[in-house]
Amino acid sequence: MITKNPNFLIILSAPSGGGKSTILQEVLRVTDNIDYSVSYTTRKPRGAEENGTHYHFVDEPEFLSRRESGDFLETAQVFGRWYGTSISYIQSRLQAGRHVIMDIDVQGAAQIGATTIPYVKIFIIPPSMDVLRDRLVKRATDSPEEIHKRLDIARDELQYIPAYDYLVVNDRLGVAVQDVLAIIRAEENRVSRYWEPIAGFLNQERNNDQ
Ligand code: ADP
Ligand code: 5GP
C-alpha cells in the first residue's frame, strides 16, 4: 500500500489588495486538511480584524523580544511595520499531517525558501494595476496616501515573481480559487513527496519476485 507524505507550506504572496486574504478564506472554507498560520504584526488592527484570528497584534518590544528568542520562522518589515510567522505553530501543524497556508510578503517567502521545510510558493496578481487601485479604494481600509504607497510597493514586489512556483491571476475570484486548489492537489502528487514510500514499494515487489 503506497501512502504519501503530502503536508507542506502553501505560501501565498500578492501585492496589497491582490486578493490573497479573500482567496485564502475561500480555500479554507472548501477544504478540511489545511490550517491557517496567523502571523504576528506590530501594525494596528484594520476594520473588523480580531486579535488571534487575523493577526496576533503585538507591540514592537514584544515582537523584537520574540524575534530574539527565535520564535519566528521568518520576519520582515512591510510598510514600516514588523510581520512574522510562528515557528512552533508551523512545526506542530506539519507534524500533525496538516498543510499550513500563509499570506506573507516576498521577503518572508524568500527566507522560507532557504529552509528545508517543504513548501509551494504561489504569487497572486490582479489583472491590472488599475483593477488593483480600484479594489484598494473599494476595500476602504486604507487612506489615499496609504493606497498610493501600496501601489508603489506593488511594482517592486512584481519583480519577485520568478522566485515563485506558480502565478495565479485573480480576475474572476472563483477561477483564482480553483487555480489555487488545483496547484495544491498537483503538489500533493509530486514524485518527491512519494519517494520514500515508493522506494519501499519497489523493494517489496523485488522481494516478492525472488
Ligand atoms: P489582500 O489580502 O491581498 O490585501 P484582499 O483579499 O483584501 O487583498 O482583496 C482586496 C479587495 O479586493 C477586497 O475588498 C476583496 O473583496 C476584493 N477582491 C478580491 N478578489 C476579487 C475579485 N476576484 N474580484 C473582485 N474583487 C475582489
Ligand atoms: P496587511 O497589513 O495588508 O495585512 O499585510 C501587509 C503585507 O504583509 C502583505 O504583503 C502580507 O502578505 C504581509 N504579511 C502578513 N503576514 C506576514 C508574515 O508573517 N510575514 C511576512 N514576511 N509578511 C507578512
Side-chain angles (χ1 to χ4, degrees):
M1 174 77 169
I2 292 183
T3 52
K4 51 187 176 178
N5 179 27
N7 50 313
F8 46 86
L9 302 180
I10 303 156
I11 300 172
L12 298 187
S13 299
S16 181
K20 40 191 189 308
S21 320
T22 310
I23 291 173
L24 200 143
Q25 289 312 319
E26 195 52 23
V27 167
L28 286 172
R29 195 182 67 77
V30 300
T31 55
D32 60 5
N33 59 343
I34 307 178
D35 292 324
Y36 175 57
S37 164
V38 179
S39 297
Y40 284 77
T41 185
T42 60
R43 85 151 162 77
K44 299 274 173 280
R46 249 184 351 225
E49 283 179 338
E50 281 175 26
N51 191 27
T53 303
H54 298 91
Y55 280 103
H56 299 290
F57 294 101
V58 293
D59 58 20
E60 190 157 319
E62 179 176 348
F63 188 97
L64 293 177
S65 132
R66 284 177 176 275
R67 187 174 187 241
E68 190 63 31
S69 313
D71 286 2
F72 295 127
L73 178 60
E74 59 74 36
T75 57
Q77 274 189 302
V78 190
F79 313 125
R81 302 289 178 184
W82 282 104
Y83 292 83
T85 300
S86 160
I87 197 160
S88 59
Y89 181 78
I90 299 289
Q91 279 170 342
S92 77
R93 299 328 294 153
L94 288 180
Q95 272 161 18
R98 312 270 301 165
H99 295 312
V100 179
I101 196 163
M102 53 175 61
D103 148 7
I104 63 174
D105 89 312
V106 292
Q107 308 167 69
Q111 290 171 44
I112 292 181
T115 72
T116 55
I117 299 175
Y119 65 84
V120 57
K121 291 202 279 188
I122 307 173
F123 199 94
I124 295 164
I125 47 167
S128 70
M129 289 302 273
D130 285 345
V131 169
L132 180 60
R133 182 179 300 104
D134 282 355
R135 287 182 186 167
L136 282 171
V137 170
K138 279 201 196 110
R139 188 170 73 178
T141 51
D142 302 291
S143 65
E145 298 76 45
E146 189 67 24
I147 290 178
H148 187 74
K149 199 156 84 183
R150 283 168 189 252
L151 287 170
D152 258 1
I153 291 173
R155 289 186 188 91
D156 293 340
E157 288 170 331
L158 299 183
Q159 314 291 325
Y160 286 80
I161 290 174
Y164 282 72
D165 301 307
Y166 295 93
L167 182 65
V168 168
V169 179
N170 179 20
D171 187 358
R172 284 170 49 211
L173 182 62
V175 176
V177 170
Q178 284 306 317
D179 283 355
V180 171
L181 292 172
I183 291 165
I184 296 170
R185 178 56 74 87
E187 285 291 315
E188 286 174 344
N189 293 288
R190 249 187 205 284
V191 165
S192 57
R193 304 198 200 283
Y194 274 103
W195 182 241
E196 280 183 30
I198 284 201
F201 180 78
L202 291 177
N203 281 338
Q204 193 185 336
E205 288 298 294
R206 211 170 283 133
N207 292 340
N208 288 347
D209 284 350
Q210 285 166 1

